[in-house]
Each structure stands twice: as C-alpha cells, then as structure tokens.
DNA sequence: TTGTAGGCGTTATCAC
DNA sequence: GTGATAACGCCTACAA
C-alpha cells in the first residue's frame, strides 16, 4: 500500500505538506503543490480511509437506511439510493447501505462506531424508534419522509398532498364531476406512515373545494382486486368519469377493464396516475401522471446532511430543515374533457 | 465517544483483554469474559471502525457497485442490494454502495483507500475495464454476471440459458409447435453483456432440439412496440400458439392485445414470462413464469467474497468459483395445451 | 490466563 | 510556506 509518507518522499516534502496539499487547509506554494500532485498521481496514492477517520474524527461516509419491503415503490427506492450515492460523492462522501431490519440498534452501531458521520433514513414512521437514538448519539440525520417530532433533524419528502390536489384540479378543470380514487390496499395506509394518506387527504380536500363527488376505494393492485374495485365503483356511481390511480399495480388492469366495459380512454373516462413518468409512458394511451422526482429527493437529502455536518463541524447548531418537493403534472393522452352524457 | 480503554477500566482489565474478548482470538476465563461483556453493554461500546481498519488492516466492508441504468430490471437490483447487505451483516460486514459511473477509477479508489476489503460488481460487461484494476490491486471480488476472463475472481449469475430452455420445454411439452419469443429492444442485447443473449440462445437451442418453429422479435416494452411486434408475428406465423416474453414491459400489452385479437389465454395462446413471481401474479390470468431468485444471487455473491477474503487472510490463494443458479418454472394459468386447430 | 507496548496512516498543533 | 511530532483508537506480537 502506498502511504502519505511514500508520496512525501517521492515529492521531497514532509508528509504534513502532502496532507495540506490534499486538504487545502493551508496555503502552499504553487511549485510544491504541483510536485505533490504529480507524486500523488504517479504513485496512485489514495489516503487510507480508516486512518483518516481516526485522525480527523470524520469518516466521510453517510449511512442510508433502506426499507426491506419490496412491495410498493421498489424502483423508486433504487433511484433514491443511486441519487444519494452520486450526490454524496460530489461532496467527497461515500454511502453505506443499512437495512431497516437492524432497527434502532443499527443506527446506534453505525453512529457509535464512527462508521458514518451522518444518516439518511428512508421509510420513516410517524413515531420512529430510530429518532431518539439519533438524538442521543448526536448524529446528524435527514429523514426521507415526515416524522411527528422532527427536532434535531432535517427532512425532505414529496408533497403528496399537493400531488393529490393536482389530480383533483386537473380533472375538475376538464369538467369531470364524479371521480373514483383507486388507492392502495388498506395495509399500506397504515404502514407507510402517511405517504398514502397525505395523497388522499390532499385529493379529498381539493375535490371538496372544487365541488367534486368522489369515492375512495382500496385496491390491492392485482387484476382481480382491481376488477372488484371497478365494478363496485361503477355500481355505486355509474356517472363516474374520472379515475385517480394511486396504486401503480392497478393501472394496467384498470385500463383493460375500462376497455372491456366498453369505455374509451379518454373519451368516456379519464385516468390520471400517481406514478413515475417512465411507467406512465408504457401504457396505451400514455398516461397523464403526477410525479415527484426521486432523484431530487435523494440529492436534497444529501445536501441537508452535508449542511448539518458542516454546521456541526464549525461548532454551530445545525438548522432543522423541512422541505416538501412539489410534484409535477404531465398531461398525456389518458385525460380529456368530461363527456357530455355520462 | 466510548473507547476500548473505557471498557477496560470499567471491567478492571487491560484493553488487550477487551480486544481479545471481542475478537475471540485467544481464550479468556469465563469470569473475565462476562465482566467485559457486561461493561461493553453497559457503556454501549462499539469499536471505532476506522481505528480497527487501521490496526487490523481490514475494514469489514464490502463495496457493491451498481449500474446507473434505471431501465430494465430495477426492482431486481434493489432486491440484490438488500440481500447483499443482509448477508454481509451476517458475516460482520457492512456494504458500501458505489455507482457504476465511477468506473475503474472508483474501484481503484475504494481498494486503494482500504475503504472496502472486497468488491461485488453488478452489470458486468464481457470485457470489463474494472477487472484488471481489481487484479492489480489484489482486491477480492465477485461478479454478478459473467465476464470473459474470470481469473482471479469469483462469479455468480442466473443460468439464463437454462431459463430459456425451460420455456422451450414447457411449451413443447404442452404440444405447441410455433412459438414467438418477445425479446428486449435491440440495444439491450449488446449492453447487457449476454444476459439477454444467453436466455435467447438457451431457448433457441432447446427449441431446435424439440423441433419447435420459432421467431425472435425485439420489442421495446411499450404498448405501441408490442402491438407492432405482435402484428408482425401473427402476419408471419399465423399458427403461433406460444409466446415467451422476456421483456417484462411487454407482458401487459401483449395480454391486452391477444385479448383484443380475440385470442383467449391459455385456450388459444399460451404465454410464459421470464420475470419475477411477484409480477407474474399481478396479471390476469396469472402468468406461468421462469424466475431466478435475486435474493440467492446476492447471498451467494457475498459468500463468495467472504470465502475469498478468508482464504487471502489465511495466506491461501482464493479459489475462483463460478456458480450458475438454476431458475425455477412456476406453472400458473397462462399456459395450457396447444389448441387442436391453430 | 492476562498485561505491556509498538505501530497502523492521517491530521493538526506547534515550532520555525 | 514548511517540518517535526503527538495524538486518534485499536490490534497483536511479545512478555509474564
């Protein structure tokens, strides 16, 4: 292994000079800097991470704790993980992946061992057990999601309520009066700690403001479940012309079922989905959708931890940020003006 | 921060004793061990990762390098990442997430800095630039996927050829004679370094052995693309009764299109998919599918690196393992006997 | 069975 | 602008 001493010898300077060239923490003559940089490159020197963490009391690692569940929004999770990793690299940080099943003890382990300087928590519950641990350890952290008590933490999430509201607005603008909201299976509403509820609430509130009649129905996302849901909707509210689909598993079935029931999209029924653009593009017709950027979510989370780390490193008290990302409506071919005769 | 010295003082022993209790590298009297363990727990001691890595020259971290592409099999990637993380934990290891865009330099960085002891590479190309770097650094590594030159490495992958063969066999057993293989867009065949080709080859070989007529058609996975593909298939080979779908994006559209063309599945046409069980269960009818376990893939990869690390640590030359996981056929409702009259 | 001490590679404080 | 040098916390011969 090539050490800082090797570089120093090669460049004809002391190892502290090499260290300072690399960290930029004191001014170095142009000449020396160049010599050192050349030596670094020639020898292929990379500082030993452990030694650095030990001496500087900073690991330059953030931990990302991901949920185990591979049900609802897996592709999004991966996208977040990747954007977190790339954003972290831009700050000179690496990302350690931790799974949720380690629970509070895992957070404690990571923090106490100095493995990571900061933590990003996904799939946060309203009253999350890991949060007190974070506080006790004095570890800088950001939540992706919203917790009840966010003191001492930053957090970022999609503005799901806004997403729901946008759906209501879009359909109302098109003249629809009776809407069905196809949600997740009932279990998800509890588990996801508000993720699903917030969307529904946002939709509901706006729908009421706009004078829409609407129905919310749980749906497991299978074909059978969607078929059952749709037939109940049409039985209860035959005049329904607008569908908001939250459960991405139900999208395909719903489109098929509408077609089979003789309804054309968007002439007879409009469908708006809460899903990623990539998915929305795959259907026929291409779906109007409301989407939040998973990439931005990850990036913002990293920037929040970095700011906290910088503040804490400078002796300041980090600010508790709380960011909600506004989702975007992309109008495609699955929504249109409400039909004259329902 | 609580250090090993704190624990030693609290337990009334020397710090080396604490170290040995924790590592189990020498025999300790029952009495001492208990005292130390109690102190560890009471003080909430976790060894400082950096210090440990520095002294023991082992970071107890493996790096997992994931592809950036969020197109083909994202959910699978996440599943692998999670199973890698959990398997690693069982060996006392943590997982560092690295993105593919860092390329060979990233591998070098991780290895040279001692950040990770071993590396797991995903999305490997046949002639991958990262492999020589791994060799040069003497870093223990496992590939998820197959490379041309695997010397000095272990690797594990699904047996995609077997998966293709199983599809051919299943349809042949049911009496189908004309099969269409709905593949990925042409780009994927090159990019995925054999992943897609191997499936196709396996299918093709077995299909020939079994005397099947078949057609391979690329398909982008959108509705339009699938529609085009299907109509060409039916034009060229109206007698086609069996469909093998490799591109999971094409599954939904294909089912819809078959239905629209008046074909009932599985009475008039059988469909077998190469996709995860979870996805296969979502369609109507539930799909017969050939699946490999992403979880196993991750676990095996970890075990391979661990074995290599153990060997290298013991001064032995690690064995270059090469494992192909046999996929499983799950027969559901989308395949049945070939119709008498095509 | 246990303790002592040297060293792992960096950073950062002091001195010049 | 640059060099010594003392930590940082742990592991592991070497002693006892």
């Amino acid at each position: 292994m090539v050490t800082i001493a090797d570089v120093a010898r090669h460049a004809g300077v002391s190892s502290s000079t090499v260290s300072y060239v690399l960290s930029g923490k004191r001014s170095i003559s142009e000449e020396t800097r160049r010599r050192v940089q050349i030596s670094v490159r020639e020898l292929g020197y990379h500082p030993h991470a452990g030694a650095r963490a030990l001496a500087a009391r900073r690991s330059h690692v953030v931990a990302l704790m991901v949920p185990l569940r591979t049900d609802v929004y897996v592709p999004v999770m991966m996208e977040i993980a990747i954007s977190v990793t790339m954003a972290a690299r831009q700050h000179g940080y690496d990302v350690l992946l931790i799974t949720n099943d380690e629970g509070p003890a895992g957070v404690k382990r990571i923090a106490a061992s100095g493995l990571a300087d900061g933590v990003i928590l996904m799939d946060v519950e309203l009253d999350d057990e890991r949060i007190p641990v974070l506080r006790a350890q004095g570890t800088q952290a950001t939540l992706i999601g919203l917790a009840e008590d966010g003191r001492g933490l930053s957090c970022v999430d999609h503005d799901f309520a806004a997403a729901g509201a946008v759906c209501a607005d879009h359909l109302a603008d098109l003249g629809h009066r009776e809407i069905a909201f196809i949600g997740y299976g009932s279990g998800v509403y509890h588990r996801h700690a508000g993720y699903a509820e917030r969307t529904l609430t946002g939709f509901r509130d706006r729908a009421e403001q706009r004078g829409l009649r609407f129905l919310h129905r749980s749906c497991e996302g299978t074909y059978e479940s969607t078929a059952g849901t749709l037939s109940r909707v049409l039985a209860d509210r035959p005049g329904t012309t607008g569908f908001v689909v939250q459960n991405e598993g139900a999208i395909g079935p719903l489109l098929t079922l509408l077609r089979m029931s003789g309804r054309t999209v968007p002439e007879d029924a409009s469908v708006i989905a809460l899903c990623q653009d990539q998915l929305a593009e795959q259907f026929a017709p291409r779906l109007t959708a409301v989407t939040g950027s998973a990439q931005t979510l990850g990036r913002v989370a990293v920037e929040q931890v970095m700011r906290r780390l910088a503040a804490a490193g400078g002796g300041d008290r980090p600010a508790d940020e709380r960011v909600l990302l506004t989702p975007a409506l992309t109008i495609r071919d699955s929504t249109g003006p409400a039909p004259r005769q329902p």
Side-chain angles (χ1 to χ4, degrees), chain A residues 255 259 265 280-287 334:
Chain A
L255 291 175
R259 195 177 284 124
V265 174
E281 298 271 3
Q282 279 194 7
F283 294 96
R286 290 158 59 252
L287 298 178
S334 68

Side-chain angles (χ1 to χ4, degrees), chain A residues 147-166:
Chain A
E148 216 146 51
D149 178 6
R151 287 170 308 167
L153 304 164
S154 294
C155 56
V156 56
D157 205 350
H158 295 304
D159 190 340
F160 288 109
V166 166

Side-chain angles (χ1 to χ4, degrees), chain A residues 180-256:
Chain A
F181 186 102
I182 314 291
Y184 285 112
S186 51
V188 174
Y189 284 90
H190 299 114
R191 275 208 324 250
H192 275 280
Y195 153 75
E197 274 108 331
R198 278 150 58 203
T199 313
L200 179 56
T201 305
F203 168 77
R204 191 196 314 265
D205 292 350
R206 186 61 53 87
E208 279 166 4
Q209 283 171 30
R210 301 287 306 249
L212 302 179
R213 287 189 75 197
F214 65 88
L215 228 42
H216 164 233
R217 289 284 178 267
S218 289
C219 179
E220 299 296 336
T222 63
Y223 186 87
E224 282 79 11
S225 173
T226 310
T229 302
L230 179 62
S231 66
R232 275 160 51 222
V233 166
L234 294 179
D236 294 350
R237 296 275 173 85
T240 299
T241 60
F243 293 85
V244 178
V245 192
Q246 183 178 29
N247 187 336
E248 51 277 0
I251 297 174
L254 178 67
L255 291 175
T256 302

Side-chain angles (χ1 to χ4, degrees), chain A residues 87-103:
Chain A
R89 281 306 306 144
Q90 299 210 319
H91 294 263
Y93 269 71
D94 275 290
V95 172
L96 202 74
L97 201 60
I98 311 288
T99 51
N100 225 334
D101 64 328
E102 285 204 60

Side-chain angles (χ1 to χ4, degrees), chain A residues 86-150:
Chain A
M86 295 181 63
R89 281 306 306 144
Q90 299 210 319
H91 294 263
Y93 269 71
D94 275 290
V95 172
L96 202 74
L97 201 60
I98 311 288
T99 51
N100 225 334
D101 64 328
E102 285 204 60
V107 172
K108 159 96 191 198
R109 181 176 73 82
I110 297 303
S113 67
L115 242 182
D117 300 331
V119 175
I120 297 174
L121 251 41
M122 290 181 67
D123 201 38
V124 185
E125 291 175 23
L126 276 179
D127 180 23
D128 205 293
E129 289 181 302
R130 296 166 296 180
I131 295 178
V133 178
L134 249 16
R135 280 205 196 95
Q137 297 286 316
T139 303
Q140 299 308 327
T142 284
L143 314 181
I144 294 184
L146 264 33
E148 216 146 51
D149 178 6

